Amino acid sequence: MARVLRIGGAQLGPIQKADSRQAVVARMLALLDQAKEAGCDLVVYPELALTTFFPRWYAEDIAEMDDYFEREMPNDAVKPLFDRAKDYGMGFCLGYAELVEEGGETHRFNTCILVDRDGKIAGKYRKVHLPGHADYDTSLRWQHLEKRYFEPGDLGFPVWRSMDANLGMCICNDRRWPETYRVMGLQEVEVVMLGYNTPVENQHTPDEAPALRMFHNQMSMQAGAYQNGTWVVGVAKCGVEDGHDLMAGSVIVSPDGEIVAEAKTREDELIVADCDLDKCTLNKTTIFNFAAHRRPEHYRMIIERTGSEPPAAE
Ligand code: ING
């Protein structure tokens, strides 16, 4: 019997600094209702889906940003989402800023969770690849301070068996790094779910064409899908947040690397695809049959080196 998950990508339009969590959750519930209408089994929300993309703002004392973080999950603000998804028998993936007190220390992560059909948290991932910088950079037209407000994720790239599928998660910049998908590919992932908040303008190359930016965004996910024989669902928070423009382009990508669903707007929009998990088998057992073709003895440098080093001079 074919294993098919009907997956919804719940793209969110902009969230302003002034927007309450309650107002955002109401928008997310409307997308959940649309997903129910469409017969979805699983819905993927973006990175930091409950608030504006606050790492664009500088705060000398990072604790000033703690109102953007969730100390518990679920909590009163998101309980309506957990309750309704459970009523609908739907799973979902939710990105948020996580603040945890452990051993008398405060830790802050860019996090996403997988919630199963019974409303239980089946998996948690904390963003490993934090782009941008930790201190105010006067050379930049705008700031990207994820390294200031978050620690690198400490949970690796797990894959969970849930909803009769091998499900994995990553977040935003993670999608640009092949290692992200390969670690999950080595766990036989069948669906990689990710959200992103990506500025339309590149802070380093302001004249980079938006079409090239979109190409990089979607090519990264298509390559990850194809090279690991997995579905990839990439969902944007997009539009202009307090004057800062985030790109849209949410997609659902097949294990062949083909885009099978794509957002058309820069607003709240649900994209839907029937993800036949057995479509993963072909690539995983032929061209990307890891056991038959990989030669890890030649990959050592990937683990041993962090930065690149030039070849020795002649
Ligand atoms: N945002 C961006 C992303 O990786 C970025 C940061 C933009 C990096 C453009 C490189 C180029 O999509 C987040 N939140 O990671």
Side-chain angles (χ1 to χ4, degrees):
M1 165 109 146
R3 291 180 301 135
V4 177
L5 272 183
R6 180 165 292 176
I7 300 180
Q11 175 176 286
L12 283 173
I15 300 176
Q16 311 307 330
K17 279 172 96 171
D19 290 343
S20 69
R21 279 177 178 71
Q22 286 65 26
V24 175
V25 169
R27 291 165 52 188
M28 298 170 81
L29 288 168
L31 287 163
L32 198 73
D33 292 343
Q34 287 178 46
K36 174 67 177 172
E37 200 60 37
C40 291
D41 300 295
L42 177 61
V43 173
V44 181
Y45 289 108
E47 170 189 33
L48 297 177
L50 300 172
T51 68
T52 194
F53 185 72
F54 64 88
R56 64 168 67 92
W57 307 113
Y58 178 80
E60 184 60 30
D61 173 2
I62 66 170
E64 286 174 32
M65 292 301 199
D66 284 354
D67 286 351
Y68 289 111
F69 286 76
E70 313 303 322
R71 294 167 183 270
E72 288 154 31
M73 186 53 70
N75 57 37
D76 291 347
V78 299
K79 192 170 181 311
L81 196 63
F82 275 70
D83 292 347
R84 192 171 303 180
K86 183 179 177 185
D87 288 349
Y88 288 168
M90 289 163 64
F92 66 94
C93 174
L94 172 68
Y96 64 95
E98 176 192 12
L99 188 150
V100 288
E101 308 282 356
E102 268 165 13
E105 285 189 343
T106 302
H107 298 279
R108 297 173 178 83
F109 298 101
N110 187 341
T111 294
C112 62
I113 51 173
L114 168 63
V115 180
D116 66 20
R117 295 182 195 273
D118 304 327
K120 294 277 176 298
I121 296 177
K124 176 187 280 190
Y125 169 75
R126 290 166 171 166
K127 186 174 182 177
V128 167
H129 298 99
L130 297 172
H133 43 100
D135 300 315
Y136 193 91
D137 185 334
T138 54
S139 73
L140 297 172
R141 290 154 45 87
W142 39 269
Q143 306 299 308
H144 193 116
L145 292 157
E146 292 191 61
K147 291 182 190 295
R148 185 175 189 80
Y149 299 122
F150 304 122
E151 294 174 39
D154 57 356
L155 303 174
F157 298 101
V159 172
W160 297 273
R161 184 74 185 178
S162 177
M163 304 180 73
D164 195 22
N166 299 339
L167 304 178
M169 294 183 283
C170 67
I171 299 175
C172 201
N173 194 257
D174 290 323
R175 77 190 184 286
R176 301 178 189 274
W177 299 90
E179 295 87 342
T180 299
Y181 301 95
R182 185 46 48 90
V183 171
M184 289 191 267
L186 287 165
Q187 301 170 75
E188 303 193 3
V189 70
E190 294 169 321
V191 185
V192 174
M193 301 170 288
L194 66 97
Y196 59 90
N197 289 216
T198 301
V200 168
E201 185 185 281
N202 186 329
Q203 61 180 169
H204 303 291
T205 55
D207 55 359
E208 179 181 73
L212 181 59
R213 218 124 150 73
M214 186 58 78
F215 170 71
H216 291 158
N217 169 43
Q218 295 183 342
M219 175 262 294
S220 299
M221 293 187 273
Q222 289 177 269
Y226 167 65
Q227 291 168 350
N228 295 280
T230 179
W231 291 89
V232 173
V233 183
V235 182
K237 170 143 68 67
C238 54
V240 180
E241 295 190 334
D242 299 294
H244 292 262
D245 200 357
L246 294 172
M247 75 188 325
S250 303
V251 286
I252 300 178
V253 183
S254 81
D256 286 333
E258 291 176 304
I259 293 175
V260 298
E262 181 172 3
K264 300 277 176 288
T265 72
R266 292 161 43 78
E267 294 296 334
D268 295 7
E269 179 182 348
L270 183 75
I271 58 173
V272 178
D274 281 342
C275 301
D276 179 349
L277 301 175
D278 295 330
K279 272 195 78 172
C280 300
T281 306
L282 178 65
N283 277 8
K284 288 185 191 292
T285 57
T286 55
I287 186 165
F288 293 110
N289 175 335
F290 292 164
H293 302 310
R294 292 185 71 245
R295 312 276 5 128
E297 64 273 19
H298 297 296
Y299 306 159
R300 198 177 304 281
M301 205 178 280
I302 293 177
I303 297 295
E304 289 169 352
R305 279 192 193 178
T306 299
S308 59
E309 296 171 20
E314 287 286 307

